Amino acid sequence: MSIVEMKMKAEQLYRKNKEQLVPHFFFVGYISLLAQYLQSGFFSFFVSLFLCSIAHGYVICSMKIVNEEKPLLSLDDSLIGITHFTRVFPVYFIRKLLIVFLLALSVLPTLLNFTFNQSLFSWDWIVSTGNTLIHTELFIPNLQLILPLFQNAPLTVNIILSIFLYLLLIILSSFMPYIIEEDDYSWIEALARSCKMVKGQLKPLLFMYFLYLPRYLCYWIVSGFIATILGNINEVLMLLCLVVSLFMYIELVKGRFEIAKYLLYKELTKEQDDERYEEY
């Protein structure tokens, strides 16, 4: 099955199961969103970090949609990142920790170039940046802050390279949740196997991300514009913007992309099993 065919199948499965998939995806995303919205920056950061495994609900729901002819999603599927915390959390925690650390190193030149703006180095800004790196998928861009960054050529290059690094790290570790769910591996075994599966398969993986890029851009531009116009008025409108953006994210990107990603994992797993069978 080609990447385009997987995208089409993911579209069909999403539309067929949309009525039950959207509420469960929203429930998972809303818990993460509330953690980001907490008033205390320090407390918010650690709550977000220790709730990163809640995203496993996306994985389980997508797997059931693909694997079962008549899937019936339950609250247990959405909350598996919490109910199976000891098994799931190390995978998501280590994955996020590695990404945050390596990405922080890559954007260091950008931060150093903006030393004249002391507010960027406040504790609140650092915590806000940490939350963004933990929950990048729910990131709503502040256009007033981001657009000036691209007026400086060296900073623009650094930001673009950091985005590519982030994408590479996400791709290398993208199959970890499926591996621990199907084979019950430890986080280090799951990471090693995920990297091994991705090796030699970067082209189809990048192509899949490229196919969904227009949807991501649409989400970021629209949600960023809404947040810029309404979010700065008061806290209530900002929370409303976050809730609306979450629905938009699920509808435009998340629902379809999670299904397509699991379809790709199944395809690569099948190919590897066929190769082992031929060897014997």
Side-chain angles (χ1 to χ4, degrees), residues 146-187:
I146 291 178
L147 291 179
L149 294 176
F150 290 93
Q151 296 176 2
N152 185 302
L155 298 184
T156 301
V157 172
N158 184 222
I159 291 171
I160 292 174
L161 291 176
S162 298
I163 291 173
F164 276 108
L165 174 62
Y166 173 78
L167 182 60
L168 178 61
L169 294 173
I170 286 293
I171 289 176
L172 286 172
S173 60
S174 59
F175 295 143
M176 289 178 68
Y178 310 122
I179 292 170
I180 65 160
E181 193 60 37
E182 293 188 346
D183 298 309
D184 198 24
Y185 284 174
S186 66
W187 69 264

Side-chain angles (χ1 to χ4, degrees), residues 76-113:
D76 291 337
D77 298 323
S78 304
L79 290 176
I80 193 167
I82 296 177
T83 57
H84 289 214
F85 183 82
T86 55
R87 177 175 66 88
V88 174
F89 176 73
V91 173
Y92 284 87
F93 179 75
I94 296 299
R95 182 189 183 195
K96 291 293 183 181
L97 209 60
L98 287 173
I99 291 174
V100 169
F101 176 73
L102 294 175
L103 205 60
L105 290 180
S106 74
V107 300
L108 188 60
T110 297
L111 299 181
L112 294 177
N113 272 280

Side-chain angles (χ1 to χ4, degrees), residues 22-143:
V22 171
H24 285 278
F25 269 42
F26 179 81
F27 181 69
V28 174
Y30 191 63
I31 295 176
S32 299
L33 188 146
L34 287 178
Q36 290 180 275
Y37 192 72
L38 291 174
Q39 292 295 323
S40 172
F42 183 80
F43 182 66
S44 173
F45 174 76
F46 281 99
V47 170
S48 296
L49 190 61
F50 282 93
L51 277 179
C52 62
S53 62
I54 191 70
H56 201 59
Y58 295 133
V59 172
I60 297 302
C61 290
S62 301
M63 291 175 70
K64 290 188 71 173
I65 293 296
V66 173
N67 291 331
E68 299 180 10
E69 186 176 348
K70 294 182 179 180
L72 182 61
L73 303 181
S74 66
L75 189 61
D76 291 337
D77 298 323
S78 304
L79 290 176
I80 193 167
I82 296 177
T83 57
H84 289 214
F85 183 82
T86 55
R87 177 175 66 88
V88 174
F89 176 73
V91 173
Y92 284 87
F93 179 75
I94 296 299
R95 182 189 183 195
K96 291 293 183 181
L97 209 60
L98 287 173
I99 291 174
V100 169
F101 176 73
L102 294 175
L103 205 60
L105 290 180
S106 74
V107 300
L108 188 60
T110 297
L111 299 181
L112 294 177
N113 272 280
F114 270 78
T115 52
F116 66 88
N117 189 342
Q118 297 299 318
S119 63
L120 284 179
F121 291 91
S122 67
W123 177 249
D124 288 339
W125 184 87
I126 294 173
V127 168
S128 177
T129 303
N131 274 333
T132 298
L133 293 176
I134 293 170
H135 297 292
T136 308
E137 60 183 16
L138 299 177
F139 170 62
I140 298 178
N142 186 331
L143 301 181

